[in-house]
Amino acid sequence: MTDPRLARLDAQVDFLKEADKLKSVLRATPLIDGSRRENSAEHSWHICLHAMVLADQAAPDVSIDRVIRMLLLHDIVEIDAGDAPIHGDVDHAAMAAKEAAAARRLFGLLPGDQGVDFLALWEEFEAAETPDAQFAKAIDRFQSPVINLENGGGSWVEYKVTLDQLDTRVGKPINRGAPGLWSWLRPRLADFFDKHMRKQAG
Amino acid sequence: MTDPRLARLDAQVDFLKEADKLKSVLRATPLIDGSRRENSAEHSWHICLHAMVLADQAAPDVSIDRVIRMLLLHDIVEIDAGDAPIHGDVDHAAMAAKEAAAARRLFGLLPGDQGVDFLALWEEFEAAETPDAQFAKAIDRFQSPVINLENGGGSWVEYKVTLDQLDTRVGKPINRGAPGLWSWLRPRLADFFDKHMRKQAG
Ligand SMILES: [Ca+2]
């Protein structure tokens, strides 16, 4: 008979080995130094660090530790489903179905109780209805524009993004979960688009 | 006069932009698929996920959320000091001095109160005296051997590592903070070295 505690650890390590593949999923956004595109694993680290540093931008009922756990998990589905660039031409219903299947397969590698917990945390993030999930979403949306401002527009140039589109795709979720971050970011975006992205809009 | 809340956010964003550089610090360990070397940012994400998944391997007085915060921060000093491979020929006193200076500079970018907190958490990790820090260190040491077992020895081959050296450099810290992980890992290491690393030892 297998020791159930050892079988549990085997399953946990299998999940952690599978998770290594997130390091090879590339996002639309470059690194700040422009040397290459960001991958979803290092992105996940960076936004967890954002949540920790920007904690005082959250509503008082937000648990930053739960937000960090959500953000550690939130992109793992991309191992199967790939990254859907926020400014890309994506079939959102098809993508949601693909991600839900990915979540079932990947979190299904874990011991049963833990798989259920992780799946619930991922679904809470996706639904964006709780204060924790809304702050997590705001943080996730805040990081890429800051990077793009630093390197000449980054993915905005490639995807021909307008300021109006940013107000909807980025502004709404940031403003909902972390209004102070949107107050900080919005004038910087307006200034950048005014100075550097005019040609594109015209 | 500058609004002090805005100055605070400026400093926080400056720190987060500087942290982006951790994505360009390469470690000795490859990815599991062997395609390239791992960087310290994606490594940090991966071990935070390890801490979350392997929480039941921690002593009862360990706070996993504090461990995750420690692990989010623990490698940031490498932006200035570089990665010191565990099996490399490193002057430990010189490296510790370099890392302490890096911690002062990098955490010094944050608002004062937050910089003090982050520095204290990093120092607690380094000192490895509290239960949280000892579990964090164990998790940090556990991930690379699992990767090396998956890809033909990885950095052990390059650094001509022996099983005795692993018992000291990896076994001791893992066994101190997470003895169940060492019980799982040790027979797998012995088996691997017996089968694949004999030539190297002789
Ligand atoms: Ca994302």
Side-chain angles (χ1 to χ4, degrees):
Chain A
M1 292 290 288
T2 318
D3 179 336
R5 280 176 317 165
L6 283 181
R8 183 173 175 86
L9 188 46
D10 283 341
Q12 289 167 329
V13 174
D14 280 347
F15 170 80
L16 291 167
K17 288 193 292 201
E18 188 70 10
D20 201 68
K21 294 177 180 165
L22 194 61
K23 299 169 188 170
S24 301
V25 176
L26 294 183
R27 293 167 47 80
T29 326
L31 301 191
I32 287 183
D33 70 8
S35 58
R36 60 170 173 82
R37 284 164 65 195
E38 191 187 32
N39 73 60
S40 292
E42 63 198 2
H43 168 74
S44 296
W45 164 75
H46 204 193
I47 57 171
C48 288
L49 190 68
H50 277 66
M52 187 171 165
V53 168
L54 302 173
D56 50 13
Q57 297 291 332
D61 54 345
V62 168
S63 159
I64 296 298
D65 288 317
R66 280 192 87 241
V67 167
I68 290 173
R69 286 171 179 249
M70 259 180 214
L71 291 174
L72 283 175
L73 296 186
H74 84 292
D75 271 344
I76 286 181
V77 294
E78 295 180 3
I79 290 170
D80 287 359
D83 177 56
I86 182 173
H87 303 301
D89 189 12
V90 173
D91 176 342
H92 291 283
M95 194 63 192
K98 246 173 125 173
E99 289 187 345
R104 282 191 302 274
R105 182 185 82 77
L106 289 157
F107 299 135
L109 297 172
L110 287 164
D113 57 317
Q114 209 165 27
V116 168
D117 286 352
F118 281 39
L119 184 62
L121 203 56
W122 178 78
E123 286 171 343
E124 180 180 336
F125 173 81
E126 285 298 308
E129 284 164 2
T130 64
D132 289 354
Q134 291 182 347
F135 185 66
K137 286 268 180 193
I139 290 289
D140 188 34
R141 289 286 189 272
F142 179 72
Q143 181 243 19
S144 303
V146 173
I147 289 184
N148 281 344
L149 283 173
E150 291 294 310
N151 55 28
S155 56
W156 298 329
V157 180
E158 187 185 345
Y159 288 95
K160 299 192 171 33
V161 177
T162 66
L163 186 56
D164 276 354
Q165 289 172 330
L166 279 187
D167 280 339
T168 307
R169 296 174 189 169
V170 167
K172 276 173 79 172
I174 296 180
N175 199 43
R176 180 184 58 188
L181 293 184
W182 185 236
S183 304
W184 183 92
L185 184 61
R186 181 59 172 71
R188 285 167 172 79
L189 295 178
D191 189 54
F192 183 89
F193 274 73
D194 192 46
K195 283 196 182 119
H196 304 288
M197 306 280 284
R198 280 225 167 145
K199 291 187 296 275
Q200 187 158 309
Chain B
M1 292 290 287
T2 317
D3 179 337
R5 280 176 316 165
L6 282 181
R8 183 171 175 86
L9 188 46
D10 283 341
Q12 289 167 329
V13 174
D14 281 346
F15 170 80
L16 290 167
K17 288 192 293 201
E18 188 71 10
D20 202 67
K21 295 178 181 165
L22 194 60
K23 299 169 188 170
S24 301
V25 176
L26 294 183
R27 294 167 47 79
T29 327
L31 301 192
I32 287 183
D33 71 8
S35 58
R36 61 171 173 81
R37 284 165 63 193
E38 189 186 35
N39 73 60
S40 292
E42 62 198 2
H43 167 75
S44 296
W45 165 75
H46 204 194
I47 59 170
C48 288
L49 190 67
H50 276 68
M52 187 171 164
V53 168
L54 301 173
D56 49 13
Q57 297 291 333
D61 54 344
V62 168
S63 160
I64 296 298
D65 288 318
R66 280 193 87 240
V67 167
I68 291 173
R69 286 170 179 250
M70 258 181 215
L71 291 174
L72 282 175
L73 296 185
H74 84 293
D75 271 343
I76 285 181
V77 294
E78 295 180 2
I79 289 170
D80 288 358
D83 175 55
I86 181 174
H87 304 300
D89 189 13
V90 173
D91 176 340
H92 291 283
M95 193 63 190
K98 245 172 125 173
E99 290 186 344
R104 281 192 302 275
R105 182 186 81 79
L106 289 157
F107 300 134
L109 297 172
L110 288 164
D113 58 316
Q114 208 165 28
V116 168
D117 286 351
F118 280 38
L119 185 62
L121 203 55
W122 178 78
E123 286 173 342
E124 181 181 335
F125 173 81
E126 285 297 307
E129 283 163 4
T130 63
D132 289 355
Q134 291 182 347
F135 185 66
K137 285 269 179 191
I139 289 290
D140 188 35
R141 289 286 189 271
F142 179 72
Q143 182 244 18
S144 302
V146 172
I147 289 184
N148 281 345
L149 283 174
E150 291 295 310
N151 56 27
S155 57
W156 298 329
V157 180
E158 189 185 342
Y159 287 95
K160 300 192 170 36
V161 177
T162 65
L163 185 57
D164 276 356
Q165 289 172 332
L166 279 186
D167 280 339
T168 306
R169 296 174 190 168
V170 167
K172 276 174 79 171
I174 297 179
N175 198 43
R176 180 184 57 189
L181 293 183
W182 186 238
S183 303
W184 182 91
L185 184 61
R186 182 59 172 70
R188 286 167 170 80
L189 294 178
D191 189 54
F192 183 89
F193 273 73
D194 191 46
K195 282 194 183 120
H196 303 290
M197 305 281 282
R198 279 226 168 141
K199 292 187 295 275
Q200 188 158 306

